[in-house]
Every structure is written in C-alpha cells, then in structure tokens.
C-alpha cells in the first residue's frame, strides 16, 4: 500500500540551496537520510506527501496576511484568502464542524487560543494530569496554562490504565471547573466523549477536546469524532493527520467569533499562508478513500505491534490499543524506559519515553503513523516487535544484527523516492 506516490521529497530548487549554502544543505540531506534509514516510531510523527512539501516550500511564505479572508490588514491577499477559505471549507467538511480556524501555528497555540476564547485568568480547569498523559498545555507549571489557570488533574486507573470517569465526575463536582479538557499525549484508547459531555454539562462547564493525536484517525473514520460533543476541538495537523506542522480549532458557529479573535489578534500575528495552503492539501488528502484505508491500517498495525510486544514480555498499557499509540513497560526485559529508548535508538528504532500509570520507572511510547505511511503492514509490525526484544535483550553482536535488519526493512519502504 504505497500511499505516497510522487517521486521526491526535496524541492525542485534544492540544487540552489546546495550551491549557495552547502552547510545547511548537508544538514537537510543528513536529516532526510536519518528519517529513511531507521524506523520512525515517535507517536507524534509522520511523513507528509510531496504535495504538502511543495505547498510549504511555495512563495506563499512571502505573504503577510494578518486578519481573516476578506478582512485583512494587508493588501494583495486575494490569492492567500482563497487558500485559507479552501482550508477552512475542507476542514469543516472533513470533521463535520460548523466553523474551523486553521491559523494556529501549532497544537499548543490552538489549545492556548481555546482557553483565551472561553476562560478568564484564574478560572478552574479540569484536565488529565501531566503524569497520567496530559500535555504541557493542560496545566504544567512550566507552561502559561499552569500559571494563568487553576488546573485540577484527573488520572487513569493504576491497574487498568483507563480513564477513571467516576473520579473525573467527582473532581468536577468538587471543583466546579469552567472547562473540562479531554485529550492526552499517550492515551491509547478512545475517550468516551459523550460521558465527558455529560460530566461537563452537570457542572455547567465547557468541554474542550484536544484531539491532537487522534485527529487523523478521526478524519479517516478510524476513531470516534468529538465534534458533536465538544464546545471546541483543538488539534495539531502534523500527527496522524499527516499535514504540515501546525494547529487548528473547530467549534460551533456561536463560538466562531470568540475563537477567531482569540487566535488573531489575541495570541498570534500574521497567519502562515504557506502552511495554511499545505493544511488545505492535507485536508484534501485526508478526505480520500486512500486515507480511510490508511487510518484503519494505522490502527491494525498498532494492534499487531502491541500484541507482539506483549508476547515478547513487555507490559502493554491498557492491555493494547484502539489507536496508533502504544504505551509499553520494558522493565520485564531488564531496562527502564530511558535505557530502552537509548538502546532502541542505537538500533535505529526511534521512539519516546512516557510516564507509567503506577508511577516509578518510565515506559516507552510509540506509534504506527509514520511506518504505515511508508507502506508497512501487519507482517512488518510483528517483525518489529521481535526486533525490539532482540535489541533490548542483548548487547554487542546481536544489536549490530538488529541495526542491519532495521536498515534493510526501512530501505524496503522508503518514505520518499529519489
Ligand atoms: C502534540 C500535542 C500538542 C501540542 O502540539 P505542538 O504542535 O507540539 O504545540 C498539544 N496537545 C496534545 C494532546 C498533543 O498531543
């Protein structure tokens, strides 16, 4: 299943970069080679199509466009207005939303703009605790969210790893938050959006869904859509959704003006029109039957990989996955998450560490979005699980053999050709 069909990853005028600035060109080539030589299992990463890359590398990067289509603070916006209208139309249609804002520069910018649209400084917000898988923007003291709002954290059950909804409800009743946030960087199961809505309604709170991770699965019909339940849905466009690095916000028309003003001029300046054009391309791709097939394959691959890791002795968080995400505990193989990440990286298997619900040692977090874009299927996933165990169980000669096999496997599924 070769999803990416076009021939090359580097723009046509890469030669001019090579000639003018070989120092930077070498970095670009080095990183491109790194991406193709190992297996990119970081759950938040993917490979964009050459069409997305072309839009990103286009002269739209030169255009200043503060404001919104038809109401800009700059002249000459007639073409970029079309790009933004198209991206908004495609995003709204793809997710069945009344309104879309495609300007957020990142997922974090989208989440902070959602807070700015709905909250006042000092308001109480109920979100997944950081140690349970909440994002930095869900109340970390190191982030604006934790400084300006009063976050209360809910967690997952220490045994099952699943969201403890009774506890979410009890905390909501106790703290009467202005908003409830549903979303995580590592939760491998579908949240119960209807239940979150019910809990938020009970205490008259907004429901903000941060769907940064599953947004691509939602687009492909492989995960439930939070749009009918949430007041505001925030997401990144660059994870499973396979678009350019950036963010987006979906909401009802009743909140459209507040959301738009919260993005510009409250938290951002000029929109990045090259990125918005690339988002339009990605939304167009995500609306195709090929992307539906892709999204379901991402989940099928993650299930096989999770089962394979479990069979090799890893502890698998929540006992499996419904998504692209897998959380695993490598301690039964004699390594904690940090040591495992280093060992696996040396073998070309690139992933993250994550918190484990029972505290203590860290685990590993991985995802199947990128390898599935490369065209890998269940057979490759089963082999990757075996390679994980080989890489962790052994040193020396064995890990060199794993490294060679990873290179060979990656080489059979190049993310880009040429
Ligand atoms: C990735 C992610 C973000 C932030 O996205 P950036 O583009 O890195 O700012 C926010 N929330 C969740 C749940 C995420 O997974």
């Amino acid at each position: 299943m070769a999803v990416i069909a076009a021939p090359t990853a580097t723009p046509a005028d890469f030669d001019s970069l090579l000639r003018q600035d070989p120092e930077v060109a070498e970095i670009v080539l080095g990183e491109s080679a790194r991406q193709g030589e190992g297996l990119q299992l970081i759950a938040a990463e993917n490979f964009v199509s050459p069409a997305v890359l072309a839009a990103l590398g286009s002269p739209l990067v030169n255009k200043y466009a503060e404001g919104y289509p038809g109401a800009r603070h700059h002249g000459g916006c007639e073409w970029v207005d079309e790009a933004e209208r198209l991206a908004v139309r495609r995003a709204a249609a793809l997710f069945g939303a009344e309104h879309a804002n495609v300007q957020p520069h990142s997922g974090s910018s989208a989440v902070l703009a959602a807070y700015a649209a709905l909250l006042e400084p000092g308001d109480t917000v109920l979100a997944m605790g950081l140690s349970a898988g909440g994002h930095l923007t869900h109340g970390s003291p190191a982030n604006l969210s934790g400084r300006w709002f009063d976050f209360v954290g809910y967690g997952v059950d220490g045994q099952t790893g699943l969201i403890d909804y009774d506890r979410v409800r009890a905390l909501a009743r106790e703290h009467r938050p202005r908003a409830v946030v549903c979303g995580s960087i590592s939760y491998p199961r579908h949240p119960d959006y209807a239940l979150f809505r019910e809990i938020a309604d009970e205490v008259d709170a907004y429901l903000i869904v941060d769907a940064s991770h599953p947004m691509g699965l939602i687009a492909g019909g492989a995960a439930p859509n939070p749009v009918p339940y949430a007041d505001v849905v925030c997401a990144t466009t660059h994870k499973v959704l396979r678009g350019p690095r950036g963010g987006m916000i979906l909401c009802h028309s009743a909140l459209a003006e507040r959301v738009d003003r919260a993005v510009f001029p409250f938290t951002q300046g000029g929109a990045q029109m090259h990125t918005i054009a690339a988002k339009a391309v990605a939304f167009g791709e995500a609306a195709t039957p090929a992307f539906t097939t892709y999204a379901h394959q991402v989940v099928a691959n993650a299930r096989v990989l999770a089962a394979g890791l479990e069979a090799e002795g890893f502890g698998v968080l929540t006992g499996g996955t419904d998504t692209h995400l897998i959380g695993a505990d490598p301690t039964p193989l004699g390594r904690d998450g940090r040591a495992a990440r280093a060992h696996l990286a040396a073998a070309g298997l690139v992933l993250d560490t994550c918190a484990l619900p029972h505290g203590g040692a860290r685990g590993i977090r991985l995802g199947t979005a990128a390898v599935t874009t490369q065209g890998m299927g269940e057979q490759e996933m089963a082999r990757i699980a075996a390679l994980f165990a080989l890489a962790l169980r052994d040193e020396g000669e064995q890990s060199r053999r794993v490294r060679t096999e990873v290179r060979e496997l990656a080489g059979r599924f190049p993310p880009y050709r040429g």
Side-chain angles (χ1 to χ4, degrees):
M1 186 192 52
V3 176
I4 285 177
T8 176
T10 45
D13 48 2
F14 185 77
D15 282 351
S16 69
L17 177 62
L18 201 55
R19 261 181 276 111
Q20 181 191 315
D21 197 331
E23 229 178 328
V24 172
E26 189 192 343
I27 293 167
V28 174
L29 288 174
E31 170 60 13
S32 302
R34 187 200 66 79
Q35 289 181 14
E37 283 166 8
L39 294 177
Q40 309 308 321
L41 296 161
I42 289 178
E45 291 186 355
N46 210 333
F47 292 106
V48 300
S49 71
V52 168
L53 278 182
L56 278 175
S58 73
L60 270 70
V61 73
N62 299 323
K63 189 70 198 92
Y64 233 112
E66 285 179 343
Y68 289 97
R72 302 282 192 188
H73 297 257
H74 306 277
C77 287
E78 56 272 23
W79 285 105
V80 294
D81 276 5
E82 287 311 308
E84 185 163 348
R85 286 196 184 102
L86 189 58
V88 165
R89 209 158 55 232
R90 285 181 179 177
L94 187 59
F95 298 102
E98 287 177 6
H99 180 69
N101 186 307
V102 297
Q103 291 196 6
H105 300 326
S106 68
S108 299
S109 304
V111 175
L112 295 179
Y115 297 161
L118 302 178
L119 310 175
E120 296 293 334
D123 275 350
T124 299
V125 184
L126 179 60
M128 187 177 264
L130 301 197
S131 57
H135 185 256
L136 280 168
T137 53
H138 301 172
S140 163
N143 181 266
L144 183 149
S145 58
R147 287 285 185 85
W148 288 18
F149 305 105
D150 190 7
F151 270 84
V152 176
Y154 59 82
V156 293
D157 183 279
Q159 290 309 309
T160 64
L162 300 173
I163 294 173
D164 183 348
Y165 290 98
D166 291 338
R167 181 98 183 111
V168 178
R169 192 187 296 273
L171 287 169
R173 285 180 181 161
E174 182 186 342
H175 295 277
R176 314 287 308 180
R178 177 71 78 91
V180 176
V181 178
C182 163
S184 166
I185 60 169
S186 56
Y187 195 63
R189 300 294 182 173
H190 302 316
D192 188 337
Y193 297 124
L195 190 46
F196 267 107
R197 176 78 262 173
E198 193 185 297
I199 292 169
D201 280 345
E202 199 183 308
V203 297
D204 201 18
Y206 290 113
L207 177 61
I208 300 172
V209 173
D210 180 353
S212 291
H213 266 282
M215 207 58 169
L217 299 178
I218 296 162
N225 187 352
V227 166
Y229 302 99
D231 294 292
V232 172
V233 175
C234 308
T236 53
T237 47
H238 51 270
K239 296 180 182 172
V240 188
L241 189 49
R242 214 164 67 187
R245 197 151 288 282
M248 65 188 293
I249 303 178
L250 304 173
C251 65
H252 298 293
S253 350
L255 288 174
E257 218 183 299
R258 274 161 77 183
V259 163
D260 286 354
R261 276 203 311 267
V263 175
F264 175 86
F266 197 71
T267 55
Q268 289 193 171
Q272 301 194 344
M273 298 317 306
H274 60 306
T275 306
I276 288 175
K279 287 173 185 174
V281 174
F283 298 146
E285 292 175 355
T288 61
F291 194 88
T292 301
T293 305
Y294 164 71
H296 285 87
Q297 188 64 51
V298 166
V299 176
N301 281 353
R303 290 210 165 111
V304 170
L305 184 48
L309 291 175
E310 193 152 52
E312 293 289 353
F314 289 80
V316 172
L317 303 191
T318 77
T321 182
D322 296 327
T323 65
H324 62 301
L325 268 165
I326 300 162
D329 180 0
T331 46
L333 285 83
R335 320 233 180 236
D336 75 353
R338 276 183 232 283
R341 182 180 65 180
H343 254 77
L344 293 166
L349 299 159
V350 185
L351 42 72
D352 294 314
T353 66
C354 68
L356 293 173
H358 37 81
R362 287 183 74 75
I364 53 173
R365 176 179 64 138
L366 56 151
T368 51
V371 290
T372 307
T373 294
Q374 287 176 271
M376 294 186 202
E378 283 103 321
Q379 213 182 322
E380 285 76 31
M381 297 305 119
R383 189 57 198 155
I384 290 170
L387 290 171
F388 266 60
L390 285 172
L392 291 191
R393 285 224 166 86
D394 225 294
E395 320 259 356
E397 192 51 36
Q398 179 106 310
S399 14
R400 267 195 298 282
R401 272 207 296 275
V402 173
R403 169 79 238 181
T404 306
E405 191 177 335
V406 166
R407 248 177 205 269
E408 185 274 330
L409 178 58
R412 280 197 286 130
F413 297 89
Y416 301 104
R417 300 192 175 80

